[in-house]
């Protein structure tokens, strides 16, 4: 299964190492799932995980948060953006996530904000899943 994780999923994995989001990253490390990320999405992971509030909640300092993000990016299969599909979504900030999924030919887009993506990903054959549902699918 090929997935793109929204930034909220990566932050949740950093903040809660025992949750479904972290389990998805472990599955990627074990080769059970392919995590996909474009350069712009990887930069978004870095920017959000560098925010003090997330580092504090995760109990990490800046250097540790950087190591976490570097590990996530190292796990990810790079996605080249061949086509920009904007605008498709209500929230312009979600466009890079959709573009990574479409250009990477993802099977699923994993997010806590399922409603924000609506039916648009289905037009490209991409499911939108909550982390817990993605994890169930990976474990099958």
């Amino acid at each position: 299964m090929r997935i793109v994780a929204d930034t909220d999923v990566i932050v949740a994995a950093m903040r809660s190492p025992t949750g479904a989001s972290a389990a998805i990253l472990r599955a990627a490390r074990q080769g059970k799932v392919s995590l996909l990320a474009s350069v712009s999405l990887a930069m978004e992971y870095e920017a959000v995980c560098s925010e003090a509030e997330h580092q504090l909640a995760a109990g990490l300092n800046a250097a540790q948060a950087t190591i976490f993000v570097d590990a996530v990016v190292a796990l990810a299969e790079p996605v080249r953006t061949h086509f920009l599909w904007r605008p498709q979504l209500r929230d312009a900030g979600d466009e890079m996530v959709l573009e990574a999924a479409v250009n990477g030919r993802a099977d699923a887009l994993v997010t806590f904000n399922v409603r924000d993506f609506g039916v648009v990903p289905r037009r490209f054959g991409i499911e939108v899943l909550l982390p817990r549902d993605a994890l169930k699918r990976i474990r099958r």
Side-chain angles (χ1 to χ4, degrees):
M1 185 161 125
R2 297 168 58 80
I3 66 164
V4 169
D6 197 356
T7 306
D8 59 345
V9 174
I10 301 303
V11 169
M14 184 175 85
R15 292 174 70 145
S16 179
T18 60
S21 298
I24 290 169
L25 294 183
R26 284 192 298 277
R29 193 178 69 229
Q30 296 165 356
K32 296 177 182 176
V33 65
S34 294
L35 179 65
L36 311 171
S38 62
V39 171
S40 58
L41 187 55
M43 291 176 70
E44 180 75 4
Y45 292 166
E46 181 179 30
V48 175
C49 289
S50 295
E51 293 176 9
E53 71 175 284
H54 297 307
Q55 290 176 9
L56 182 62
L60 301 177
N61 61 37
Q64 292 166 322
T66 298
I67 291 168
F68 171 81
V69 173
D70 288 349
V72 170
V73 172
L75 277 175
E77 179 182 317
V79 172
R80 294 179 69 124
T81 303
H82 298 288
F83 297 103
L84 298 177
W85 298 97
R86 298 172 194 210
Q88 295 284 327
L89 304 170
R90 292 182 302 174
D91 182 352
D94 291 329
E95 296 286 355
M96 77 175 84
V97 180
L98 177 63
E99 286 175 352
V102 172
N103 283 287
R105 297 183 181 167
D107 300 303
L109 190 156
V110 183
T111 183
F112 287 103
N113 301 316
V114 171
R115 217 167 35 125
D116 287 354
F117 288 92
V119 298
V120 174
R122 277 190 260 163
R123 291 186 216 150
F124 297 100
I126 300 167
E127 273 189 284
V128 179
L129 300 171
L130 290 166
R132 70 172 180 255
D133 297 328
L135 187 56
K136 287 177 191 173
R137 181 84 44 86
I138 292 165
R139 289 180 172 164
R140 276 197 238 156

